[in-house]
Amino acid sequence: MAEATLGASRFKANYAVERKIEPFYKGGKVQLDQTGQHLFCVCGTRVNILDVASGAVLQSLEQEDQEDITAFVLSPDDAVLVSASRALLLAQWAWREGSISRLWKAVHTAPVASMAFDPVSTLLATGGCDGAVRVWDIVRHYGTHHFRGSPGVVHLVAFHPDPARLLLFSSSIDATIRVWSLQDRSCLAVLTAHYSTVTSLTFTGGGQTMLSSGRDKICVVWDLRTHQATRTVPVFESVEAAVLLPEELAPELGVTSTGLHFLTAGDQGALRVWEAASGQCVYTQQRRPGPGQELTHCSLVPAAGLVLSVTADHNLLLYEARSLQLQKQFAGYSEEVLDVRFLGPEDSHVVVASNSPCLKVFELQTSACQILHGHTDIVLALDVFRKGWLFASCAKDQSICIWRMNKAGEVTRVAQGSGHTHSVGAICCSRLKETFLVTGSQDCTVKLWPLPSALLSKSLAPDSGPVLLQAQVTQRCHDKDINSVAVAPNDKLLATGSQDRTAKLWALPQCQLLGVFSGHRRGLWCVQFSPMDQVLATASADGTIKLWALQDFSCLKTFEGHDASVLKVAFVSRGTQLLSTGSDGLVKLWTIKNNECVRTLDAHEDKVWGLHCSRLDDRALTGASDSCIILWKDVTEVEQAEEQAKREEQLVKQQELDNLLHEKRYLRALGLAISLDWPHTVLTVVQAIRRDPEACEKLEATVLRLRRDQKEALLRFCVTWNTNSRHCHEAQAVLGVLLRHEAPEELLAYEGVRASLEALLPYTERHFQRLGRTLQAATFLDFLWHSMKLPTLHTAPAAL
């Protein structure tokens, strides 16, 4: 990659995770607090709490049973959060601290499907999949009511806004609304007007009127004094939520009279405002293009002046209530991440293509998300032009789009083109200047698209609409799908990689074939030019990476190490190293000179489709099928500096230790050796003490003056020494001092003492057995010596 040439030529040794963009919402309920500062949503086994200002997850609440959360609710006073899990347990949270204040059984025989607080935050209603409705006193901690009679799942419960009336409303699969009296413990009325599932209930401030919405494409206004429907409004879409608007004028939303108005969200993917009296739609929001835009949730927070809506592809949108102007966007779940790129001249943003027609642009500093609409089918690949402001995308809808980010970080679509007859799965921008881009498709062709001069001029009006791109060259390149295209750093060569197991080199701009790279046993997923040398890297489904010479198309090197398909490869460290990602979820760092895999990074749990390196070559970005986007930071220099500082510190302390031993300052020496956690050095100090003429007294005096944590460490070291017959004497000497002078209660209070004693006993018994055998042998020798009768030796007479 050309951007990597800006980096230093030193070898990299390691990357560390600097940032992780993970899913925080996978469908289900979402709720804002009354201030509009915190957003609560479900993600599997957790309830996540987001800071609306920054988009950061402040708390992730998970019950002890670690089962999926089926329902949750935040009290009207924002003090208490209650969640229900599949294990039929209810948890009451002090959510700001992230701790459970109470946990109790739901008593339902099936999971809880819906929950609601009363207006004064003292009563909690739960609707179960068993058809039961239960009411709990949260303050006094007991169940107050149990209502039966609903068939099937009770998916909706709501209290009357007037706490004095003690009314509870519920709805189940029979499309009726039941009104329960807490005072009489009975069902007051069954409201029938809907013919399909009732999706929401909302009340006017005085509590005289209720609005219900349903998937039968109608909204019904009810008079709660007579329990009769006063108005049925056909809304011509399956409604997931309806919200009553405050009775005040809002000309931007078409509210020009003081009558009852409400907001609906449904499968048409647009918020609409209706006048209840006339049944007319007075405002319709512009619908975003593409699938997955159906709205699944909508709620109003009057105190904060915000409207929250959720789309079917898990995007959360915050609007200003009076004008429905978009304030914030959050991408709750990215599904399978297919490609990622840094954006901006300083890599301040990242753009993500996931299993969706929408692109997501994240600002790294604030986590702010922008959702881009332009394609009508899944976006498959991305690439960025040299300066970082312009980037391109291609999709299954056979089209390409060019986008521009301004200095404020706002992205708009500035050009689009179509011409391929199948999905466009590969795209690459020119490297030297912003002059053209190349696309590869499943139709086995490559197209070269020149950028119009109007696109690059600063005088282009932002509202003039996207410029139409025309392909200048079309070339059939392979016999199977083209998975990757790459433009050389000089913009004169093009490489293509295909499922037909070959890579090919072409001359630009006319796409004339120069040669074929053959050698992989399976299809190619990625091709990449070296930023420095005339070398091409290819990554294949056969689990290997190959380097090829551009002059003679020969294979220079093969890198083996991935257990499955290699999906992406990139040059780093000025072309001297490679980063690769695979379908085994691993990211590997290779040094080209010696074919060595320097580091394997394991942070993803599924196929890593996306890989991009920053301009300064100090960071890398990966995206995978596990919905995670990880920002990696090169920590080679940091680790080397830490290692150097550690070595220097060890040298200084080793010298200090030698000086202390020379001066026979054993207590300081032993304390220093223990603090360094060097068992062998501690052993050396103990041996030096035992060599002293007054060894016994010195050892006792030194060991007993140690702190308790130092004695605990010394006992752990003794376990290691005691396993070796050469060092067991030092271990037994230290152990003897501790046993003689420490009270049993104090010894038993030592951390890990039981495990240490269990490890000491068998080796100590073995040492004593060996000593016993040695003593027996010595006694036997002594006995033999005294029992032997030596014959008298006769000396010969001396010669005269």
Side-chain angles (χ1 to χ4, degrees), residues 417-656:
S418 58
H420 284 286
T421 57
H422 280 284
S423 299
V424 187
I427 194 164
C428 188
C429 301
S430 55
R431 297 303 181 206
L432 279 179
K433 295 180 180 178
E434 297 172 340
T435 52
F436 67 90
L437 59 88
V438 179
T439 57
S441 167
Q442 284 186 6
D443 60 14
C444 306
T445 65
V446 160
K447 289 183 182 287
L448 187 142
W449 310 76
L451 266 61
S453 55
L455 189 65
L456 303 173
S457 66
K458 294 183 179 177
S459 59
L460 183 68
D463 299 327
S464 58
V467 176
L468 193 64
L469 297 175
Q470 295 289 339
Q472 177 181 312
V473 178
T474 301
Q475 176 69 48
R476 183 178 173 85
C477 296
H478 291 271
D479 297 327
K480 291 186 179 180
D481 300 358
I482 297 171
N483 292 330
S484 179
V485 292
V487 175
N490 61 3
D491 283 350
K492 293 181 180 179
L493 297 173
L494 170 71
T496 58
S498 167
Q499 281 296 112
D500 64 8
R501 299 181 292 182
T502 65
K504 294 184 180 181
L505 189 67
W506 309 81
L508 291 177
Q510 296 304 320
C511 283
Q512 299 156 327
L513 182 64
L514 299 177
V516 180
F517 304 96
S518 299
H520 282 292
R521 299 188 304 277
R522 297 184 69 181
L524 274 66
W525 282 112
C526 184
V527 292
Q528 200 68 252
F529 283 99
S530 168
M532 305 300 288
D533 304 308
Q534 293 191 7
V535 170
L536 181 76
T538 58
S540 167
D542 61 13
T544 66
I545 304 158
K546 289 181 182 287
L547 292 185
W548 310 83
L550 299 184
Q551 289 91 345
D552 56 5
F553 309 105
S554 62
C555 180
L556 302 174
K557 284 181 180 289
T558 300
F559 300 86
E560 297 181 355
H562 283 280
D563 294 330
S565 300
V566 185
L567 302 177
K568 282 287 191 293
V569 65
F571 284 92
V572 293
S573 307
R574 284 183 173 267
T576 59
Q577 290 182 294
L578 293 170
L579 267 179
S580 65
T581 67
S583 57
D584 50 9
L586 301 177
V587 181
K588 288 181 179 285
L589 176 65
W590 309 82
T591 298
I592 293 174
K593 187 175 181 180
N594 55 12
N595 276 49
E596 180 189 359
C597 178
V598 180
R599 187 74 59 177
T600 298
L601 309 171
D602 186 5
H604 287 289
E605 297 175 1
D606 209 339
K607 301 180 185 70
V608 185
W609 288 107
L611 171 67
H612 194 218
C613 297
S614 65
R615 295 167 176 274
L616 297 177
D617 202 23
D618 60 341
R619 294 188 295 175
L621 189 68
T622 57
S625 296
D626 58 4
S627 308
C628 287
I629 300 128
I630 296 180
L631 181 65
W632 302 87
K633 186 177 182 181
D634 177 14
V635 292
T636 306
E637 285 187 354
V638 174
E639 288 187 350
Q640 286 176 349
E642 288 177 355
E643 188 65 31
Q644 181 65 24
K646 195 180 289 184
R647 281 199 298 268
E648 290 174 0
E649 185 184 3
Q650 286 184 354
L651 283 172
V652 170
K653 290 192 173 179
Q654 185 65 53
Q655 184 59 52
E656 184 183 353

Side-chain angles (χ1 to χ4, degrees), residues 729-743:
H729 302 292
E730 286 76 16
Q732 293 296 328
V734 171
L735 199 58
V737 172
L738 291 174
L739 290 173
R740 283 196 304 272
H741 296 279
E742 291 284 316

Side-chain angles (χ1 to χ4, degrees), residues 30-245:
V30 292
Q31 187 175 350
L32 278 169
D33 67 355
Q34 296 301 316
T35 64
Q37 296 176 355
H38 299 99
L39 180 66
F40 299 77
C41 55
V42 178
C43 186
T45 61
R46 304 186 306 274
V47 176
N48 286 326
I49 305 171
L50 267 75
D51 177 37
V52 171
S54 68
V57 177
L58 299 178
Q59 295 278 4
S60 191
L61 311 178
E62 185 174 28
Q63 293 185 197
E64 294 172 1
D65 50 52
Q66 295 184 342
E67 292 280 348
D68 284 349
I69 300 295
T70 57
F72 80 90
V73 67
L74 180 69
S75 62
D77 60 4
D78 292 340
V80 177
L81 177 79
V82 178
S83 63
S85 73
R86 285 196 180 276
L88 308 183
L89 290 175
L90 295 174
Q92 181 177 327
W93 297 86
W95 60 269
R96 287 183 172 85
E97 292 78 36
S99 60
I100 292 179
S101 53
R102 184 177 168 234
L103 190 69
W104 74 99
K105 289 183 180 180
V107 192
H108 289 276
T109 57
V112 174
S114 56
M115 305 172 81
F117 267 104
D118 75 333
V120 293
S121 305
T122 57
L123 296 179
L124 172 74
T126 58
C129 295
D130 56 359
V133 178
R134 291 182 177 272
V135 182
W136 310 86
D137 190 318
I138 291 297
V139 178
R140 297 183 179 87
H141 303 164
Y142 69 97
T144 61
H145 297 76
H146 179 199
F147 297 117
R148 293 188 183 92
S150 303
V153 177
V154 180
H155 61 269
L156 192 60
V157 288
F159 279 95
H160 192 278
D162 183 359
R165 296 188 63 175
L166 292 173
L167 294 178
L168 176 66
F169 298 79
S170 71
S171 181
S172 60
I173 59 172
D174 62 354
T176 63
I177 303 166
R178 285 176 167 77
V179 186
W180 308 92
S181 169
L182 301 187
Q183 195 167 4
D184 300 337
R185 297 179 178 270
S186 63
C187 180
L188 288 184
V190 178
L191 312 183
T192 56
H194 289 279
Y195 301 97
S196 186
T197 305
V198 179
T199 54
S200 70
L201 299 174
T202 182
F203 304 86
T204 56
Q208 304 298 327
T209 305
M210 179 178 75
L211 176 75
S212 64
S213 65
R215 295 195 180 123
D216 51 6
K217 303 185 179 182
I218 61 171
C219 290
V220 181
V221 180
W222 302 87
D223 185 341
L224 294 182
R225 290 166 294 192
T226 62
H227 296 146
Q228 296 297 316
T230 59
R231 181 78 184 170
T232 298
V233 181
V235 294
F236 310 108
E237 69 169 332
S238 178
V239 180
E240 292 299 322
V243 175
L244 280 170
L245 296 176

